[in-house]
């Protein structure tokens, strides 16, 4: 799907721009960056057979959302209900010694649905883990070269150059990118 390729592209863009080797771990360097966006909207139309919900935000923008099968209790949503959509993006990295794995990419998708009888809602998340090898360290310039699966290399500037002394050529870097969308519906206030 185009969403998948767009996300992949974004993932690698984020990885390359990441402030790698920030943080001050006494062991091998590691760290995490997280960003959460939240939006409120009101349901203006519901198409049950198509599982489509039309939402209007406070700025008069309208979007149509296709509700995944995993999100339960769609039939209990009502026009006028308020929806809170929370989008979380996180990037974590951890350096580990050579021999503890190999360069590669893995993907994991998780779905948490509301229980029958609860307010409609749910959460869909996905984590992509990229393992790259450190193939070059330049202490004078404070840069590190990473080579990922497929042999693509990228040299990036370390945010904290002192961390470069804690790593060596051959070490592996696990970079995990997580994207999660949570939706919760609040029933419309009774007039």
């Amino acid at each position: 799907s185009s969403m998948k390729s767009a996300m992949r592209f974004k993932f690698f863009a984020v990885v390359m721009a990441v402030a790698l080797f920030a943080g001050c771990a006494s062991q091998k360097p590691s760290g995490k960056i997280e960003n959460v966006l939240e939006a409120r909207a009101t349901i203006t139309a519901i198409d049950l057979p198509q599982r489509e919900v039309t939402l209007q935000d406070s700025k008069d923008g309208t979007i149509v959302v296709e509700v995944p099968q995993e999100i339960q209790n769609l039939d209990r949503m009502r026009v006028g209900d308020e929806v809170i959509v929370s989008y979380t993006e996180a990037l974590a990295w951890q350096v580990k010694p050579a021999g503890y794995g190999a360069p590669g990419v893995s993907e994991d998708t998780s779905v948490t649905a509301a229980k029958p009888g609860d307010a409609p809602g749910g959460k869909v998340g996905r984590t992509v883990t990229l393992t790259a090898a450190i193939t070059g360290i330049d202490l004078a310039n404070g840069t590190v070269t990473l080579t990922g699966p497929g042999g693509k290399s990228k040299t990036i500037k370390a945010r904290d150059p002192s961390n470069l002394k804690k790593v060596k050529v051959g070490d592996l870097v696990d970079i995990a990118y997580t994207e999660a969308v949570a939706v919760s519906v609040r029933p419309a206030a009774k007039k």
Side-chain angles (χ1 to χ4, degrees):
S1 70
S2 62
M3 171 69 196
K4 212 166 196 161
S5 58
M7 186 229 153
R8 271 265 154 70
F9 175 77
K10 190 161 83 178
F11 169 59
F12 286 106
V14 169
V15 168
M16 295 324 174
V18 71
L20 201 60
F21 306 133
C24 52
S26 54
Q27 308 301 114
K28 296 284 186 190
S30 65
K32 186 173 184 180
I33 299 171
E34 195 168 60
N35 183 30
V36 181
L37 297 171
E38 199 168 85
R40 288 165 185 266
T42 305
I43 297 175
T44 55
I46 300 171
D47 180 343
L48 274 178
Q50 299 293 321
R51 294 189 68 85
E52 287 179 349
V53 176
T54 305
L55 303 175
Q56 181 163 4
D57 66 17
S58 52
K59 300 178 198 68
D60 295 333
T62 301
I63 60 164
V64 178
V65 180
E66 193 178 322
V67 180
Q69 293 292 340
E70 294 86 8
I71 305 270
Q72 305 287 321
N73 308 332
L74 181 61
D75 56 340
R76 296 181 52 213
M77 292 187 187
R78 300 283 176 263
V79 169
D81 282 354
E82 183 177 74
V83 180
I84 294 169
V85 179
S86 168
Y87 175 77
T88 306
E89 214 175 21
L91 187 77
W93 64 91
Q94 170 77 54
V95 178
K96 60 189 185 182
Y100 285 80
V105 179
S106 65
E107 195 168 320
D108 180 43
T109 303
S110 66
V111 175
T112 318
K115 295 176 192 67
D118 281 357
K123 182 175 178 177
V124 180
R126 130 142 140 250
T127 301
V128 178
T129 304
L130 170 82
T131 301
I134 295 177
T135 50
I137 297 169
D138 184 338
L139 288 174
N141 292 308
T143 62
V144 61
T145 301
L146 297 179
T147 301
K152 283 208 177 89
S153 291
K154 185 81 182 174
T155 299
I156 50 180
K157 194 120 178 108
R159 190 200 227 168
D160 181 354
S162 70
N163 272 328
L164 293 179
K165 296 183 180 122
K166 301 176 191 168
V167 300
K168 58 183 189 291
V169 169
D171 280 352
L172 296 171
V173 186
D174 281 339
I175 303 163
Y177 175 76
T178 303
E179 207 174 28
V181 180
V183 179
S184 59
V185 176
R186 302 195 174 173
K190 301 276 181 287
K191 291 275 188 293

